[in-house]
Amino acid sequence: MPSVRVQEADFDTGKELETLTHGRRDVGAVASFVGIVRDANDGARVSGMTLEHYPGMTEKALEGICAEASSRWDLTDTLVIHRVGPLRPGDRIVLVGVASPHRGDAFAACEFIIDYLKTRAPFWKREDTPEGPRWVEARPSDDTAAKKWK
Amino acid sequence: MVTILYFASLRESLGNSREQLALPMGNATVSSVVEALRARGTQWTEAFAPGRTWRVAVNQQMAGLATPVSPGDEIAFFPPVTGG
């Protein structure tokens, strides 16, 4: 069963990833991705950002992406935690964790989930820059990354 | 009536996060809702002008201009997503 959480609070990456293998003997691989807030973007210094989401739809979209990953690869469990609200450079934004009997499936599914999350899950970033706040524009390269999984 | 939600930059430029709207008579679609919003003028016409990029969800599923809408539906308009 996918575990999906959208929360303001930080998370303990190690502890969260352990839940993917706890009490199991059929997992041979756990792959993970952690997204972090950078201090620069598109040529501007970023002192912080605020993440907005669509409560209800966001969770459904993440569950749908995890379900799609489980139908494409041999996975024993998936985990997505995404933070919202105010964040600062160096803060964790997102954790994707995937458990599988084999590493190939775990690596591929982990990349698939973050690529799809970036183009399909309703989150929006507003950055604080020296010129004031600005909404982050969607990147064509993120669409390209998601399309490779078609 | 349908519930309409606006998120992120669209919410800011429209100065609105949530409203109730009476559906036009007949077979309503996302397109007819967008026409009704555009007809309000000023920032509404600009936000939904042809060529402007926005996304729409009906009942929390991604949708398009041709998606039918019925009374009680939740319709959300927002810019392309930027999470992760």
Side-chain angles (χ1 to χ4, degrees):
Chain A
M1 272 302 292
S3 170
V4 161
R5 288 187 347 243
V6 179
Q7 62 187 41
E8 290 210 9
D10 192 14
F11 48 81
D12 180 329
T13 305
K15 211 179 267 179
E16 298 294 345
L17 292 177
E18 268 178 34
T19 65
L20 294 172
T21 51
H22 186 76
R24 305 190 68 127
R25 295 291 177 268
D26 56 346
V27 177
V30 171
S32 64
F33 171 85
V34 179
I36 316 275
V37 181
R38 282 193 314 270
D39 67 356
N41 187 33
D42 276 339
R45 217 156 37 76
V46 174
S47 57
M49 68 165 59
T50 305
L51 262 143
E52 179 174 333
H53 78 301
Y54 179 174
M57 182 175 170
T58 305
E59 291 83 352
K60 274 186 211 166
L62 295 174
E63 281 162 12
I65 293 165
C66 288
E68 170 83 24
S70 294
S71 74
R72 289 185 183 215
W73 292 280
D74 181 13
L75 308 179
T76 55
D77 208 353
T78 54
L79 164 71
V80 177
I81 302 173
H82 204 299
R83 294 180 69 191
V84 292
L87 296 171
R88 300 181 64 76
D91 283 351
R92 284 175 278 271
I93 307 178
V94 60
L95 169 66
V96 176
V98 174
S100 165
H102 305 291
R103 74 180 183 283
D105 285 28
F107 276 131
C110 185
E111 190 177 10
F112 167 86
I113 290 173
I114 189 63
D115 283 349
Y116 264 39
L117 182 158
K118 278 187 155 293
T119 53
R120 299 183 181 204
F123 292 99
W124 302 274
K125 290 182 183 133
R126 202 180 75 150
E127 295 173 336
D128 300 315
T129 73
E131 286 76 43
R134 66 178 186 189
W135 291 96
V136 173
E137 300 264 333
R139 287 173 196 277
S141 60
D142 286 337
D143 277 331
T144 309
K147 282 200 181 93
K148 73 172 181 268
W149 300 105
K150 286 281 180 203
Chain B
M1 299 290 271
V2 290
T3 301
I4 308 192
L5 307 175
Y6 307 96
F7 289 96
S9 54
L10 209 51
R11 168 177 55 73
E12 278 192 351
S13 57
L14 296 172
N16 198 334
S17 61
R18 182 188 189 95
E19 65 173 314
Q20 299 285 121
L21 187 81
L23 281 179
M25 297 299 285
N27 295 328
T29 60
V30 167
S31 186
S32 36
V33 171
V34 169
E35 281 310 315
L37 298 175
R38 247 182 219 153
R40 290 174 173 175
T42 60
Q43 75 268 32
W44 297 89
T45 310
E46 193 184 328
F48 292 103
R52 290 297 298 267
T53 306
W54 43 268
R55 302 282 184 265
V56 61
V58 175
N59 296 328
Q60 306 192 351
Q61 298 278 357
M62 292 307 292
L65 281 172
T67 305
V69 293
S70 325
D73 281 354
E74 178 177 288
I75 304 169
F77 293 100
F78 43 80
V81 303
T82 55

